[in-house]
């Protein structure tokens, strides 16, 4: 049975189930789980034979054959070389179809990075698109870039478009519900792009995209509880809880960046004062530097970090202050979620050797009790958001619902409907 809400309390080891919040598992959901398992094994072990798929999945050979034929017909999987075996039949090996591609865009307040990726996460094209503040004009620029990429790859099959956004997305409407740094209001991004590109568009939050990219790369294998913090114009967060990405029904789960930590602090884009974001973001570091060097206030965050490598004292002081605030704010995360791992993604990671120890010290010094979570960084930068955006398309279009581990657990364990399906690439 699959639960669609909070777990019921237990009495003497017997789980009590509130029948108002459960639904029976269907044969369709069982088929989806089996399909997820087969597709994940093909991805992780490719090229692989059907017989090896049956052994690895525990499914009947006839079931595996039916699933494989469906995946081939839908162009997710292709047949390739013939395996050499010492005796018996020589099987045809299966792999993901790299002729099927996905367009992805990482949208920021001032620019978008548009890319074309195949199912194995390889980049076939990538371009930076400057953006204007008016959403209709900005979307037009993104679409023109995507159209050019499609025209340059006429022999590829385009599955869809994934968009990493600097804000929270309502899972039902697929519209921005919170994006203080973008200020596109209620503009219908999804419909505008779908109308022009004739491809299905999937939107996701940038932090969730980065976390999905880490799962794609297998960097969180064995980790069930983690939080990823993105540091750019703002501060975002994505939550991995019990092996699943948590988004909530409103899509707002994880907005630690807009938790006020000083009511007398600067005004935040969300309308409140003193949010963690206004002290720990890249914009905060630029503000600190402008206070020290008003004549150089136009410097970019990349320029500021480069100046720290050149031992500029004002730049070092500004980013050190940002790092201190970032580390202190992690108390919000550890007190609320107590994860095994905290991942930092974004601008400051390029100078981690210098500023990472400051963040680590603040993290350890603000623990309520016990040891601090392991603190790590992502190394892909902007690529993580693009890979995550592409992964969302594959996740929602291919029938993926969860990783191999989650699929196996789903046969016997309930899962809450407020959690984003999880996949691994």
């Amino acid at each position: 049975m699959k639960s669609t809400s909070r777990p019921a309390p237990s009495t003497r080891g017997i789980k009590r189930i509130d029948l108002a919040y459960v639904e029976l598992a269907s044969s369709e959901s069982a088929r989806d789980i089996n399909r997820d398992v087969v597709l994940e094994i093909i991805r992780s072990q490719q090229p692989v034979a059907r017989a090896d798929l049956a052994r690895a999945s525990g499914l009947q050979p006839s079931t595996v054959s039916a699933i494989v034929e469906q995946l081939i017909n839908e162009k997710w999987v292709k047949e390739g070389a013939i395996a050499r075996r010492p005796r018996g039949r020589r099987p045809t090996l299966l792999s993901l179809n790299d002729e099927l591609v996905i367009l992805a865009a990482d949208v920021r307040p001032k620019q978008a990075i548009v890319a074309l990726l195949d199912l194995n996460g390889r980049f076939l094209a990538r371009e930076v698109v400057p953006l204007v503040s008016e959403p209709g004009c900005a979307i037009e620029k993104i679409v023109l870039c995507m159209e050019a990429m499609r025209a340059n790859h006429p022999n590829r099959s385009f599955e869809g478009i994934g968009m990493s956004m600097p804000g929270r997305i309502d899972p039902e409407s697929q519209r921005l519900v919170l994006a203080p740094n973008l200020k596109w209001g209620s503009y219908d991004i999804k419909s505008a792009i779908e109308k022009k590109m004739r491809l299905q568009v999937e939107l996701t939050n940038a932090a969730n995209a980065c976390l999905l990219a880490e799962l794609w790369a297998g960097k969180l294998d064995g980790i069930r509880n983690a939080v990823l913090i993105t540091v750019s114009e703002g501060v975002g967060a994505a939550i991995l809880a019990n092996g699943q990405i948590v988004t909530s029904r409103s899509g707002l789960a994880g907005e630690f960046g807009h938790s006020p930590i000083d009511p007398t602090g600067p005004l935040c884009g969300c309308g409140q004062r003193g949010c963690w974001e206004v002290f720990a973001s890249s914009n905060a570091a630029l503000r600190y530097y402008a206070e020290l060097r008003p004549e150089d206030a136009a410097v970019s965050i990349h320029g500021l970090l480069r100046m720290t490598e050149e031992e500029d004292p004002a730049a070092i002081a500004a980013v050190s202050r940002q790092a201190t605030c970032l580390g202190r704010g992690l108390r919000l995360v550890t007190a609320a979620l107590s994860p095994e791992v905290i991942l930092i993604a974004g601008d400051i990671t390029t100078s981690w050797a210098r500023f990472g120890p400051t963040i680590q010290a603040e993290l350890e010094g603000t623990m309520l009790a016990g040891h601090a979570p392991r603190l790590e960084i992502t190394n892909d930068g902007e690529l993580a958001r693009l890979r995550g955006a592409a992964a969302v398309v594959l996740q929602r279009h291919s029938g993926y619902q969860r990783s191999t581990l989650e699929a196996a657990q789903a046969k016997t364990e309930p899962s809450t409907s407020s959690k984003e399906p999880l996949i691994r690439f």
Side-chain angles (χ1 to χ4, degrees), residues 215-381:
L215 295 164
W216 181 333
K219 295 177 182 177
L220 291 175
D221 283 352
I223 301 297
R224 303 282 294 168
N225 299 283
V227 173
L228 184 144
I229 304 294
T230 54
V231 184
S232 55
E233 297 85 3
V235 173
I239 302 168
L240 182 73
N242 196 29
Q244 290 184 308
I245 297 179
V246 179
T247 59
S248 81
R249 288 177 179 163
S250 64
L252 290 169
E255 275 302 328
F256 294 105
H258 293 291
S259 297
I261 59 176
D262 181 359
T264 65
L267 183 66
C268 180
C270 72
Q272 299 295 312
R273 285 195 173 274
C275 292
W276 183 27
E277 176 172 297
V278 301
F279 297 107
S281 65
S282 297
N283 283 350
L286 293 174
R287 187 178 74 251
Y288 299 147
Y289 181 75
E291 293 170 357
L292 296 171
R293 295 268 183 84
E295 67 278 9
D296 295 333
V299 68
S300 68
I301 186 61
H302 300 294
L304 183 64
L305 292 169
R306 184 167 56 251
M307 290 162 64
T308 66
E309 300 301 320
E310 297 169 352
E311 303 298 329
D312 182 285
I316 293 172
V319 181
S320 295
R321 185 176 173 187
Q322 176 202 9
T324 299
C325 294
L326 181 59
R328 287 179 182 171
L330 291 176
R331 180 185 173 93
L332 296 168
V333 175
T334 58
L337 299 171
S338 188
E340 304 166 59
V341 176
I342 295 177
L343 290 162
I344 306 295
D347 303 321
I348 198 170
T349 61
T350 60
S351 298
W352 193 255
R354 181 186 291 271
F355 300 107
T358 299
I359 299 171
Q360 180 75 49
E362 293 294 334
L363 170 63
E364 293 174 354
T366 57
M367 291 295 297
L368 286 172
H371 298 292
R374 191 165 79 246
L375 185 64
E376 298 182 358
I377 63 172
T378 66
N379 296 313
D380 284 344

Side-chain angles (χ1 to χ4, degrees), residues 133-144:
S133 58
E134 200 283 313
C137 294
I139 291 300
E140 184 66 29
K141 285 177 170 287
I142 292 172
V143 167
L144 288 173

